[in-house]
Amino acid sequence: TVDFGSSANSFLLQCGVKSEPSVDEVCQLLARDPVQVKLSRLKGDDEAYLALLRQVSARMTEISPRTATALKSAPFAVGITQSTGKRQMCRASDCSLVDDTLLMQLFDPVAAPLEAGIETF
């Protein structure tokens, strides 16, 4: 957040400038170009990206149906392959929710991070 002083901040608010984007606007960016969000805005930081997903997940009810539909086909989710331990961007439909570690080791799927906040999103 940048502070331009009280009179300038008041003027900017009256012009419609917001102090931060809405959850729906963030999700629209994720749906349009998730790699750009991760690389440019978060400087490629995996933990910052996961923190963003946690924040969005906590406010899922604020995502419009149109944006939710766009997210379904976007590779914005983070998946982890157990054998390599590498994180990768993928569509949510390509990412498994693994609740059995034996099956996870046996089949080695691309899995969502074992974290409730991210799994629900």
Side-chain angles (χ1 to χ4, degrees):
T1 305
V2 178
D3 185 5
F4 294 105
S6 61
S7 61
N9 289 341
S10 176
F11 171 75
L12 290 170
L13 281 173
Q14 289 186 351
C15 291
V17 175
K18 299 184 252 177
S19 61
E20 64 181 35
S22 70
V23 171
D24 194 65
E25 290 168 333
V26 170
C27 287
Q28 288 173 21
L29 286 173
L30 287 173
R32 205 170 319 128
D33 195 352
V35 174
Q36 175 73 14
V37 171
K38 183 179 177 191
L39 294 179
S40 292
R41 304 194 192 276
L42 302 174
K43 301 188 180 10
D45 185 347
D46 284 346
E47 290 308 316
Y49 189 75
L50 288 172
L52 175 67
L53 292 181
R54 284 184 208 102
Q55 291 172 356
V56 169
S57 175
R59 297 171 59 188
M60 284 179 17
T61 58
E62 299 173 36
I63 301 171
S64 71
R66 182 178 179 185
T67 302
T69 299
L71 281 173
K72 287 180 182 179
S73 61
F76 77 94
V78 174
I80 302 170
T81 304
Q82 184 70 25
S83 62
T84 63
K86 286 188 172 184
R87 292 179 179 163
Q88 64 188 49
M89 307 282 288
C90 60
R91 292 183 319 203
S93 62
D94 296 333
C95 196
S96 301
L97 296 176
V98 180
D99 59 353
D100 186 325
T101 55
L102 180 61
L103 291 176
M104 186 176 193
Q105 292 170 356
L106 185 64
F107 294 109
D108 198 27
V110 175
L114 298 174
E115 186 175 325
I118 293 177
E119 285 181 347
T120 54
F121 185 52

